[in-house]
Amino acid sequence: MTDTFDAVVIGAGHNGLVCAAYLAKRGRRVLIAEAADSVGGASITREFADGYSVSGCAHLLYQFHPEIARDLNLAKHGLVLAGKNLATIALATDGRYRRFSGEVVTGNGLTQHDISEFSAFNGQMTRYAKLLAKVAGRRPPKLVESDWSDKLNLARIGLDIRRLGRDEVRELLRIGAINLFDVLHDRFTDELLKGALSVDGVLGAHMGPRSPNTVLGYLYRHLGDAFGLSGPAIPEGGMGSVTSALAAAARSSGVEIRTGTPVARIICVAGRTSGVMFDSGETIETGLVISNADPKTTFEELVGFPELESGFSRRVHNIRARGTAAKLHLALDGMPEFSGIDAIDSGARLLVAPDLAYVERAFDPAKYGQYSEAPIMEITIPSVHDKTLAPDGKHVLSAVVQYAPYELKAGWDESRTSFQTVIVDTLSQYAPGIRDLITASEVLTPRDIEQQFRIRGGHWHHCELSLDQFMMMRPAFGATQYTTPIDGLYLCGAGAHPGGGVMGLAGRNAANEIIKREKSR
Amino acid sequence: MIAHDERRVIPTPFHSRVAAACELNQWEDWKGYTTASAFTDVALEYFAIRNTCGIFDLTPMIKYRVAGPDAGAYLNRLVTRNISKQSVGQVMYCCWCNDAGQVLDDGTLFKFDENTYRICSQERHMDWFLASAMGFDVQIEDETGRVAALAFQGPTSCAVLRKMGFQGIENLKPYRFTSFPFKGDELMISRTGFTGDLGYELWCDPMFAETLWDALMEAGRNYGILPFGAEALGMTRIEAGFIQAGVDFVPALDVVRTQRSRSPYELGLGWLVHLKKANFNGRKSLIAEKEKGSRYRFVRLIIEGNKPAEHAFIFNRRNKAVGTVTTAGWSPTTKSNLAFASLEMPWGLESDELYAEIYYIRELKWTRVMERCRVVTDAFFDPERRHATPAWDF
């Protein structure tokens, strides 16, 4: 063995790349081992039909942290945004629409009450999201250990909450742990508006608007607002260009990236890691292993429960990580027309969620292992902004479709075709001519996402984002603050604080924590 | 599988014989089974164990079968002791902990073959054992109701077994077991027990339980055999120095107040902890405790006077309470007043001057005495006949 590395990062997803880049900038020699043939993890671009490319899993850049983009100089490394601060448009089948852009909502037949109430709601949520952003940007404090930096951090959070002011704190405490359905119902009258807003609370989650934790989900999705953005962005060349820019930044700091190199296991001896072994049998010795893989994969498969203790193993086993979102990719012969909106708005983020009850009803079957017969969707047509994705005059459509439970009673192999029919039928109600434009299509179920992106359960947050799996409880007791029960093994992925989304904070926070801890060792 | 029975407390396979012999009609509920507290006279039963032999219905003791290619690895991760060198036919005393290094229970581990074990304990642990099985190729089965068990303890026990035709039983070493053909079935005999004396435990199919009882009583007729109950057993266990879950410590999964559980070091079971073996439950915490020091020390005390020190406070010379008695009783064999106690560190050294605060009532008058305690490090009673192989003939 000739190469020596200070650290091996498992997985070249965005958090793995961010973590490696930050470590390398601080003088560590880092190797990233990626199982797939290219970097990117769930932030990739790929050709799914001849000449048509699409973001394979994540398809919008909601809340990529601007500090990270700056620190790693991603613009220099090739990241260009084709569209940014995109508006969100709620679709209806009868020509109505609701258009959200920043604090402004417009739409035919919208009452003045709802218009002004939305502005107030948006302002309030942005203030809460700013609080959340502060929490997300730091190591989550443990509550019972007398670590001075944890105490300081807790005091800071306390102070930040206090700064919200009495009324805002009271409202945050009131709504923080309840459900988005009730909150929206309290404030708005317009069903189309409420339906659309509820999507931000349930996207990617095994939750309906009436589920607890959906207010947290909403705030998490709006972290971008706290970063000064007013809507998601679409990178030129798809989401893959985010991770290729990150990879370029990492490489320029000296990180070595090996693709097509699946890690078979993390070698542990007496509670300490001594390196990794690849599928090929080759081993790399290092005292520092950082896993960007989800916690279940990391602990159950790569470390193995026998190397851990029973109580911790059980907590890992019990982490809720049931993917419920499917992905639809369509190659289109031309631009589809959506009911009620101008062609110019086809590049916006389009939602199929016509009312609150519709969204809740869409979730109901998922509880019982069935897919929605009338699903909700988040649709993008990135080729409006980015001509590189499809041949001239043609388009690609990418949509998140819910609900498609990971554990489908009837089995996904048997149900894929019928589910695709349901999706296209639903889509046709909002874009009547779309069926004739489809030249190729692809549906990724949570099972496919699990298999293709190596995420156990196919959940894009790795672990459900909910208060019981948040901050110092993420992903589970015994593995918080990016550490694990195995000395020298750390987590840097979506399963760690603060969570998923192409944001990069988990990776950056992990790097900071690792540097701090390994120095004091 | 526990047989369905409409009663909430069910009979053991020996019940017909136990009931017939239980002259005092004193019963207790032991893990859902009807068992005798005493049969004839507790002192008589006790002296049978120490001077002749006695039989005790052990069936309710919780028994799990652990089988599969990973059984050994599974158990070595479960318990704190290094069992990798356990041989087939050997019994090992073990304890097991949660992740925090706090004791869940102690018990005995029997190795039938490379892939098959039995683990016996006071408490039920199926939930913990199954959680611990993730990542191992093992099956775990509660066989409590499928195995009838008798403790057969006392100096003449070996002679009785020989008389029953179990050739060579005298050569069975302590903490070993073997099997004999018995009435067309098989009888497993281990040289184990809870009395600290020469003695055996007998394990068979419940179908043959009554036959076994009758055969023992018949063979033991001229050897002073007597059935004994939980009370007499309790007296011998103190003399032998054996602790009991739920009495001398609260199993860590049962405690409500987190400080009330105990680590193996805090129960005098440090010798069962092998920190150098591969990963096991509690390892990290126990390493930390070893470095940092324990919170408690478990001690054996000889207390002056003859008043039982049940649950007494233990005071130091400055009259500060430093611990409590967990088990206490008079020992007829050593003629002394014995106790186990859990003391706060650093108390409990042999040189410490300690006192037990004992309250007792005589004809409705309460009296309080402060009795001097002496810490002893050896077992109160550990006769040579317990260890000698071949077993002595009496």
Side-chain angles (χ1 to χ4, degrees), chain A residues 110-123:
Chain A
L110 208 51
T111 65
Q112 193 53 48
H113 164 84
D114 279 353
I115 291 171
S116 51
E117 190 64 22
F118 176 74
S119 165
F121 175 77
N122 186 68

Side-chain angles (χ1 to χ4, degrees), chain A residues 243-459:
Chain A
T243 40
S244 40
L246 282 170
R251 283 195 183 103
S252 77
S253 305
V255 174
E256 183 178 332
I257 302 173
R258 287 192 205 164
T259 54
T261 312
V263 171
R265 63 188 183 90
I266 297 167
I267 304 165
C268 298
V269 180
R272 168 155 253 300
T273 180
S274 61
V276 296
M277 189 175 88
F278 299 132
D279 274 4
S280 63
E282 185 196 347
T283 59
I284 299 277
E285 278 177 40
T286 174
L288 189 54
V289 176
I290 302 149
S291 178
N292 188 28
D294 67 277
K296 290 196 185 208
T297 300
T298 303
F299 293 119
E300 191 172 346
E301 288 166 34
L302 298 180
V303 174
F305 283 154
E307 293 297 332
L308 298 157
E309 293 171 299
S310 299
F312 180 74
S313 303
R314 174 152 61 182
R315 285 198 291 279
V316 169
H317 176 79
N318 288 350
I319 290 172
R320 285 175 294 108
R322 286 169 297 184
T324 317
K327 197 72 203 298
L328 170 76
H329 301 145
L330 295 179
L332 300 172
D333 217 15
M335 189 65 203
E337 278 181 33
F338 286 91
S339 160
I341 69 165
D342 298 332
I344 192 149
D345 267 338
S346 305
R349 171 182 178 243
L350 308 174
L351 297 180
V352 170
D355 61 66
L356 261 180
Y358 176 98
V359 182
E360 185 68 31
R361 255 199 303 274
F363 173 55
D364 285 340
K367 300 174 200 168
Y368 311 107
Q370 294 155 344
Y371 60 70
S372 314
E373 291 291 345
I376 61 169
M377 287 184 220
E378 179 196 61
I379 303 161
T380 63
I381 306 176
S383 46
V384 172
H385 305 280
D386 181 358
K387 304 294 173 206
T388 65
L389 298 174
D392 218 19
K394 321 274 189 198
H395 285 281
V396 288
L397 179 148
S398 164
V400 173
V401 186
Q402 284 179 206
Y403 293 84
Y406 172 78
E407 276 173 33
L408 194 74
K409 223 183 273 170
W412 275 115
D413 286 343
E414 293 75 10
S415 311
R416 183 189 308 275
T417 317
S418 59
F419 186 53
Q420 184 160 348
T421 308
V422 164
I423 303 173
V424 175
D425 286 351
T426 308
L427 203 51
S428 301
Q429 292 171 34
Y430 298 85
I434 198 164
R435 199 186 300 269
D436 301 331
L437 296 174
I438 300 172
T439 53
S441 65
E442 173 185 59
V443 171
L444 299 182
T445 71
R447 289 265 172 196
D448 302 322
I449 292 170
E450 170 178 68
Q451 190 221 331
Q452 292 177 23
F453 300 98
R454 295 166 196 259
I455 303 171
R456 276 279 292 278
H459 195 304

Side-chain angles (χ1 to χ4, degrees), chain B residues 181-238:
Chain B
F182 177 70
K183 310 274 179 197
D185 197 60
E186 195 176 69
L187 180 69
M188 185 177 115
I189 302 181
S190 57
R191 189 165 165 192
T192 48
F194 213 42
T195 63
D197 217 309
L198 168 62
Y200 300 87
E201 286 169 336
L202 317 179
W203 317 75
C204 72
D205 188 303
M207 249 170 63
F208 299 97
E210 289 162 334
T211 315
L212 174 65
W213 180 285
D214 294 343
L216 274 169
M217 292 303 282
E218 174 60 29
R221 192 196 297 272
N222 293 327
Y223 292 83
I225 194 168
L226 215 59
F228 65 94
E231 285 185 42
L233 180 71
M235 292 169 73
T236 58
R237 102 165 162 91
I238 304 176

Side-chain angles (χ1 to χ4, degrees), chain A residues 269-272 305-315 317 484-487, chain B residues 77-78 98-99 127-128 131-132 134-136 253 277 279-285:
Chain A
V269 180
R272 168 155 253 300
F305 283 154
E307 293 297 332
L308 298 157
E309 293 171 299
S310 299
F312 180 74
S313 303
R314 174 152 61 182
R315 285 198 291 279
H317 176 79
T484 69
I486 303 290
D487 292 336
Chain B
R77 195 282 214 112
L78 184 78
N98 64 8
D99 296 13
D127 179 55
W128 182 256
S132 304
M134 290 188 295
F136 292 97
L253 288 177
K277 73 167 178 168
N279 177 55
F280 64 90
N281 287 333
R283 182 178 165 275
K284 266 196 154 180
S285 304

Side-chain angles (χ1 to χ4, degrees), chain B residues 8-287:
Chain B
R8 284 167 53 187
V9 182
I10 60 177
T12 77
F14 299 103
H15 188 73
S16 64
R17 303 305 189 265
V18 171
C22 189
E23 293 174 19
L24 293 171
N25 205 26
Q26 283 180 7
W27 301 95
E28 57 191 67
D29 169 356
W30 176 14
K31 295 287 162 208
Y33 285 93
T34 309
T35 52
S37 311
F39 283 81
T40 47
D41 177 275
V42 175
L44 213 56
E45 294 167 29
Y46 166 84
F47 281 108
I49 301 170
R50 287 289 178 240
N51 295 339
T52 54
C53 65
I55 59 173
F56 174 80
D57 181 1
L58 195 62
T59 308
M61 182 170 58
I62 305 302
K63 306 178 270 296
Y64 295 101
R65 177 159 293 242
V66 179
D70 290 342
Y74 164 81
L75 289 161
N76 221 9
R77 195 282 214 112
L78 184 78
V79 304
T80 59
R81 193 172 182 180
N82 187 356
I83 60 144
S84 59
K85 294 214 169 78
Q86 184 177 13
S87 55
V88 172
Q90 192 185 357
V91 184
M92 268 193 170
Y93 176 56
C94 307
C95 70
W96 48 99
C97 294
N98 64 8
D99 296 13
Q102 302 297 294
V103 177
L104 302 179
D105 209 345
D106 60 341
T108 45
L109 182 64
F110 294 68
K111 184 169 182 175
F112 295 107
D113 60 51
E114 286 308 321
N115 299 329
T116 319
Y117 294 80
R118 172 182 296 161
I119 188 162
C120 301
S121 62
Q122 174 70 16
E123 302 293 327
R124 291 197 166 85
H125 296 284
M126 196 51 139
D127 179 55
W128 182 256
F129 285 1
L130 286 179
S132 304
M134 290 188 295
F136 292 97
D137 187 359
V138 284
Q139 293 80 47
I140 297 148
E141 204 185 322
D142 185 337
E143 57 179 10
T144 306
R146 291 202 293 106
V147 180
L150 279 183
F152 183 42
Q153 305 277 306
T156 61
S157 55
C158 181
V160 173
L161 292 175
R162 268 210 323 263
K163 187 161 182 258
M164 286 170 76
F166 302 127
Q167 289 305 316
I169 185 69
E170 67 277 12
N171 295 321
L172 188 67
K173 290 180 182 158
Y175 287 99
R176 305 284 313 181
F177 65 93
T178 185
S179 287
F180 292 94
F182 177 70
K183 310 274 179 197
D185 197 60
E186 195 176 69
L187 180 69
M188 185 177 115
I189 302 181
S190 57
R191 189 165 165 192
T192 48
F194 213 42
T195 63
D197 217 309
L198 168 62
Y200 300 87
E201 286 169 336
L202 317 179
W203 317 75
C204 72
D205 188 303
M207 249 170 63
F208 299 97
E210 289 162 334
T211 315
L212 174 65
W213 180 285
D214 294 343
L216 274 169
M217 292 303 282
E218 174 60 29
R221 192 196 297 272
N222 293 327
Y223 292 83
I225 194 168
L226 215 59
F228 65 94
E231 285 185 42
L233 180 71
M235 292 169 73
T236 58
R237 102 165 162 91
I238 304 176
E239 291 177 337
F242 291 130
I243 60 168
Q244 192 179 333
V247 177
D248 297 299
F249 66 96
V250 186
L253 288 177
D254 295 351
V255 294
V256 177
R257 301 157 187 86
T258 50
Q259 297 299 309
R260 302 291 162 87
S261 61
R262 293 290 186 270
S263 78
Y265 297 120
E266 294 167 342
L267 290 173
L269 302 179
W271 65 282
L272 295 180
V273 182
H274 291 138
L275 294 176
K276 289 212 174 78
K277 73 167 178 168
N279 177 55
F280 64 90
N281 287 333
R283 182 178 165 275
K284 266 196 154 180
S285 304
L286 292 171
I287 289 173

